Amino acid sequence: MIDAGYAIAAILAMAAVTVALRALPFVAGRWLRRHALVRKLGDALPLSIMVLLLVHAVIGSARDNPGGLWQELLAVAIVAVLQWRTRQTLLSIAAGTAVYVLLRNA
Amino acid sequence: MSRSAHARPSIASLTAPVAMGYIPLGAVFGFLFVQAGGAAWLAILSSLLVYAGAAQFMMIPMLAAGASVGTIALATFVLNLRHAFYGLSLLNSMPAARGQRWYAVFGLTDETYSVLTALPPDTVAGRMALVTALNQGWWVLGTALGALAGAQAQITLAGLDFVLAALFAVLAVEQWRARADTVPIWLALAAYAVGYAIAPAQALVLAIALSLLACALRPDRPKRARKEAP
């Protein structure tokens, strides 16, 4: 069982961090836009971080999976191709996850 | 995306696709949260207060493993860093009313951002809070449904937590669509390899630090018509 007090503390901390990040451009937009470095980071960093999180999640899944890495890579490829071609987030996530769950429980 | 002043998409046509995504995904979040040992009302509370899909999925294994609140906050910071750049393109179209403005800032998720940037610029301010509220409503509704189902069911499907990886893949594709710049991908892969070689358990944190450094030190891209927003 996850302790309620601990979960509430985590939820409040996550909420504070998230709203601070979302508010940053409205509070410091002028400053952010003036700085070339911020612009450069805004251009490239979000994609880098998403790729890192993806790789990390895939490696985490593969570690618990005796079937090996190819199942994760196949499922990610399905998600990426579907999302690229259809832009239907739900379809991409559902199809990739369904294929992965089937492979894992086959 | 079309920004023509003639096209005035209705609110319903804009939030319906978000509903189709948020209700089922929220349901998977609620389900996994309860299955991991959390109370249903805590899942709903996090959808009300945190309202950040990928971060909420990420919190489940962290809470189950008893990670420190500081570690969870740091992970949320890294994951949601992209949101710090969203508002820049919406700076001039915020609602005038204080309460509405703060709520719109609070609820600026990936999907809400993409809906708002698809609206004609002159109507964004008036509709921002409403669009945000509808989208969060779908997310909370889905969470509640999934949490209630999770409290009843006793199925354990290996691999269902792959939704988080799938969500990251979707976000990566959308970031790539917006920038069409392959360098950040190679940087990230190289950074992860280096981080993993140094300390597998800390690979992600090391790789994020390396990527940040590499992105900051990277020579400027050749000048061309660069868009302010995706």
Side-chain angles (χ1 to χ4, degrees):
Chain A
M1 227 28 213
I2 294 171
D3 177 66
Y6 162 60
I8 290 172
I11 287 168
L12 291 178
M14 291 174 72
V17 168
T18 305
V19 81
L21 285 170
R22 286 177 183 164
L24 190 65
F26 299 99
V27 176
R30 243 171 246 259
W31 183 87
L32 286 173
R33 274 207 274 207
R34 242 197 338 255
H35 284 72
L37 179 64
V38 174
R39 230 201 168 102
K40 208 153 79 168
L41 289 180
D43 265 359
L45 199 59
L47 177 55
S48 286
I49 288 183
M50 279 312 138
V51 171
L52 285 176
L53 291 168
L54 174 62
V55 170
H56 192 67
V58 162
I59 288 181
S61 289
R63 203 176 285 142
D64 309 328
N65 180 6
L69 191 60
W70 70 270
Q71 296 177 338
E72 282 81 14
L73 294 179
L74 176 67
V76 167
I78 290 170
V79 176
V81 169
L82 276 176
Q83 181 65 21
W84 180 251
R85 306 192 67 150
T86 71
R87 292 192 182 207
Q88 302 286 322
T89 301
L90 177 64
L91 171 73
S92 318
I93 292 177
T97 305
V99 167
Y100 185 70
V101 169
L102 283 176
L103 288 171
R104 283 289 299 265
N105 296 279
Chain B
M1 246 176 238
S2 161
R3 281 165 183 259
S4 135
H6 307 293
R8 286 186 181 265
S10 71
I11 296 285
S13 73
L14 285 169
T15 78
V18 178
M20 305 266 295
Y22 272 19
I23 294 173
L25 270 183
V28 175
F29 165 72
F31 185 86
L32 289 175
F33 190 94
V34 169
Q35 293 277 309
W41 66 273
L42 287 169
I44 296 168
L45 187 72
S46 80
S47 287
L48 283 171
L49 296 183
V50 181
Y51 187 38
Q56 286 180 246
F57 276 107
M58 189 189 59
M59 84 195 273
I60 298 173
M62 295 186 87
L63 283 178
S68 77
V69 171
T71 309
I72 295 175
L74 181 66
T76 306
F77 177 83
V78 168
L79 186 50
N80 287 340
L81 197 55
R82 67 189 186 286
H83 289 167
F85 301 101
Y86 285 173
L88 285 178
S89 60
L90 296 170
L91 269 182
N92 300 321
S93 44
M94 292 304 284
R98 242 185 132 71
Q100 285 193 22
R101 191 161 63 221
W102 274 103
Y103 178 63
V105 168
F106 159 81
L108 199 53
T109 60
D110 299 281
E111 286 73 12
T112 302
Y113 173 75
S114 60
V115 168
L116 292 176
T117 48
L119 283 171
D122 54 322
T123 62
V124 171
R127 292 173 159 196
M128 199 179 254
L130 178 62
V131 169
T132 307
L134 283 169
N135 288 351
Q136 190 178 13
W138 307 133
W139 180 248
V140 173
L141 175 67
T143 304
L145 294 175
L148 295 178
Q152 313 292 326
Q154 279 304 326
I155 352 154
T156 37
L157 268 181
L160 198 55
D161 53 357
F162 188 79
V163 282
L164 182 57
L167 192 55
F168 290 151
V170 162
L171 292 172
V173 166
E174 290 309 322
Q175 290 288 342
W176 197 79
R177 202 197 301 278
R179 314 270 179 219
D181 179 9
T182 48
V183 176
I185 298 176
W186 298 118
L187 276 181
L189 294 175
Y192 197 86
V194 172
Y196 200 86
I198 296 172
Q202 305 300 326
L204 184 61
V205 177
L206 285 170
I208 285 166
L210 283 173
S211 298
L212 196 117
L213 203 65
C215 286
L217 295 176
R218 176 185 177 197
D220 276 317
R221 295 171 72 186
K223 276 218 169 17
R224 57 176 147 131
R226 202 189 302 202
K227 282 190 283 182
E228 269 293 305

